[in-house]
Amino acid sequence: MKLPDRTVYAQAEPGAGPSARTPKIGLALGAGAARGWAHIGVLRTLEAAGIRADVIAGTSAGAVIGGCHAAGKLPELEEFARSLTRRRVFSLMDLTFSGSGLVAGGRLQSRLEAALGATRIEELPVEFASVATEMSTGHEIWLTKGVLANAIRASYALPGIFEPVKINGRWLFDGALVNPVPVSVCRAREAGFVIAVNINSELRRPAGERGVISEEAIAEDALDAYSEEAGNRNTSLSGFLPTLRGRQGLFRRQFAAPPDGPPGIATAMVDAFNITQDRIIRSRLAGDPPDVAINIKMGQIGMFDFHRAAEMIELGRAATRRMLPEIQDLIGPNP
């Protein structure tokens, strides 16, 4: 099979002849909340096969994984992902009703900044773009310059869940509203061969799951998390009990739901967002298809199952292995 006529070639090594040229490879990493951990397995498998992207475009979870990979921080991110438990996930959620999201995001921001520091996108060894959406206008924003951590935060700021991020005078939130699998960004950056990774190819909630987080998990994890917080501050747990009970109740109202009742507000918001995102993905990929699509089916893994990273990474590996023969055939011999 031949590459399409639009193929753009990466710069060959000095002295190399035309036969040594390789297509400029773009990698479009899609949105999908916790399911984004599967991107780690994809990147690991491609690297092991000697396939390295010249351009990486990521939306939401794809921006997190793609940005960390571009900055050389994928091993640290994978270690963090594999270390997560339900309790640790809960402890990272700094709930607030003082802003425009349920989660302020300060704790996640601190972790990003600690890992990436002041690294700027322009300094990365590969081209990188993070996709976000501008509030009020709905414009699709490609963040290709500036502080990497800020660009990533803007891309995953799910409306109603995370507070939006202000960059260059614009309030930005989740890019999945406009371009969930950013193939078009790779094309615009002159990638002649684009691999798209869709981690939202199935719209199924795990069997028996009624909410984003179960009420039992909320009660158990809240107690564990805040008991640990009290110990870290050398404070009596009794001093935290009013806060603990308040936050347990808050999480129950927003994230859980009775078996026979309607879903909680967070579940309703996320489900509505997923349906919209699915329709956008279908439309965008039909209009600008990738050269190869890696579709990862994770119907039994919830959008907020961040503690199941090991499973998702393996699913990413398996899906990529299945597509490797086609990718290698289209790209040709590794340089």
Side-chain angles (χ1 to χ4, degrees), residues 12 30 32 36 51 74 79 94 103 117 127 149 164 171 206 234 315-316 333:
I51 299 169
L74 192 64
E79 182 180 0
D94 42 353
V103 180
E127 292 184 54
W171 285 104
N234 296 317
L315 286 171

Side-chain angles (χ1 to χ4, degrees), residues 172-187:
L172 307 176
F173 51 36
D174 204 317
L177 284 168
V178 289
N179 199 351
V181 185
V183 173
S184 59
V185 182
C186 293
R187 297 287 188 209

Side-chain angles (χ1 to χ4, degrees), residues 289-323:
D291 296 282
V292 171
I294 300 175
N295 295 304
I296 306 174
K297 296 183 178 181
M298 293 185 283
Q300 295 303 309
I301 295 178
M303 300 293 289
F304 280 71
D305 283 343
F306 290 97
H307 59 289
R308 300 174 65 182
E311 298 173 60
M312 289 181 267
I313 291 170
E314 184 51 42
L315 286 171
R317 287 184 188 275
T320 308
R321 289 192 196 105
R322 288 193 293 270
M323 299 304 298

Side-chain angles (χ1 to χ4, degrees), residues 37-326:
W37 294 140
H39 288 312
I40 296 174
V42 173
L43 290 167
R44 291 293 199 192
T45 306
L46 291 175
E47 274 197 333
I51 299 169
R52 296 176 178 83
D54 302 291
V55 179
I56 299 175
T59 299
S60 196
V64 176
I65 311 301
C68 289
H69 175 60
K73 298 293 184 179
L74 192 64
E76 292 88 340
L77 181 63
E78 181 175 354
E79 182 180 0
F80 168 73
R82 291 180 180 275
S83 74
L84 289 175
T85 61
R86 288 189 321 186
R87 186 178 72 178
R88 288 198 69 189
V89 172
F90 180 92
S91 69
L92 289 170
M93 294 183 181
D94 42 353
L95 277 183
T96 177
F97 279 106
S98 60
S100 54
L102 291 174
V103 180
R107 295 174 185 175
L108 291 173
Q109 176 185 349
S110 296
R111 286 189 171 272
L112 266 180
E113 291 175 348
L116 301 175
T119 300
R120 297 182 65 84
I121 297 175
E122 309 95 288
E123 300 169 348
L124 298 175
V126 299
E127 292 184 54
F128 175 74
S130 176
V131 179
T133 305
E134 183 180 16
M135 292 182 66
S136 74
T137 68
H139 290 161
E140 181 177 335
I141 305 298
W142 299 352
L143 298 167
T144 59
K145 295 181 180 180
V147 178
L148 176 61
N150 291 343
I152 291 173
R153 283 180 55 225
S155 188
Y156 73 65
L158 184 66
I161 302 295
F162 290 103
E163 294 184 348
V165 178
K166 193 173 187 179
I167 296 179
N168 295 331
R170 293 173 164 178
W171 285 104
L172 307 176
F173 51 36
D174 204 317
L177 284 168
V178 289
N179 199 351
V181 185
V183 173
S184 59
V185 182
C186 293
R187 297 287 188 209
R189 307 296 288 184
E190 298 188 327
F193 184 85
V194 179
I195 302 169
V197 185
N198 183 7
I199 54 177
N200 203 45
S201 60
E202 276 190 318
L203 269 183
R204 278 201 303 150
R205 190 182 294 162
E209 183 184 276
R210 287 287 296 134
V212 175
I213 304 175
S214 72
E215 185 169 344
E216 293 78 11
I218 291 165
E220 176 186 340
D221 297 343
L223 180 60
D224 287 343
Y226 286 100
S227 295
E228 183 176 322
E229 184 175 345
N232 291 340
R233 296 189 185 185
N234 296 317
T235 304
S236 169
L237 180 60
S238 61
F240 275 80
L241 285 178
T243 301
L244 173 60
R245 292 193 185 99
R247 295 195 183 189
Q248 280 181 319
L250 182 59
F251 260 65
R252 284 194 178 100
R253 290 193 298 275
Q254 305 302 333
F255 288 86
D260 298 323
I265 185 173
T267 299
M269 288 171 55
V270 170
D271 278 2
F273 186 80
N274 287 339
I275 293 168
T276 303
Q277 181 177 262
D278 176 69
R279 301 304 185 267
I280 297 171
I281 289 173
R282 293 170 188 265
S283 176
R284 294 295 300 250
L285 294 186
D288 194 359
D291 296 282
V292 171
I294 300 175
N295 295 304
I296 306 174
K297 296 183 178 181
M298 293 185 283
Q300 295 303 309
I301 295 178
M303 300 293 289
F304 280 71
D305 283 343
F306 290 97
H307 59 289
R308 300 174 65 182
E311 298 173 60
M312 289 181 267
I313 291 170
E314 184 51 42
L315 286 171
R317 287 184 188 275
T320 308
R321 289 192 196 105
R322 288 193 293 270
M323 299 304 298
L324 269 180
E326 181 177 349

Side-chain angles (χ1 to χ4, degrees), residues 1-9 21 23-24 187 190-194 289 291 330:
M1 298 178 67
K2 293 184 178 180
L3 289 170
D5 292 339
R6 61 175 173 266
T7 299
V8 175
Y9 290 93
R21 296 186 306 172
K24 188 174 183 181
R187 297 287 188 209
E190 298 188 327
F193 184 85
V194 179
D291 296 282
L330 289 168

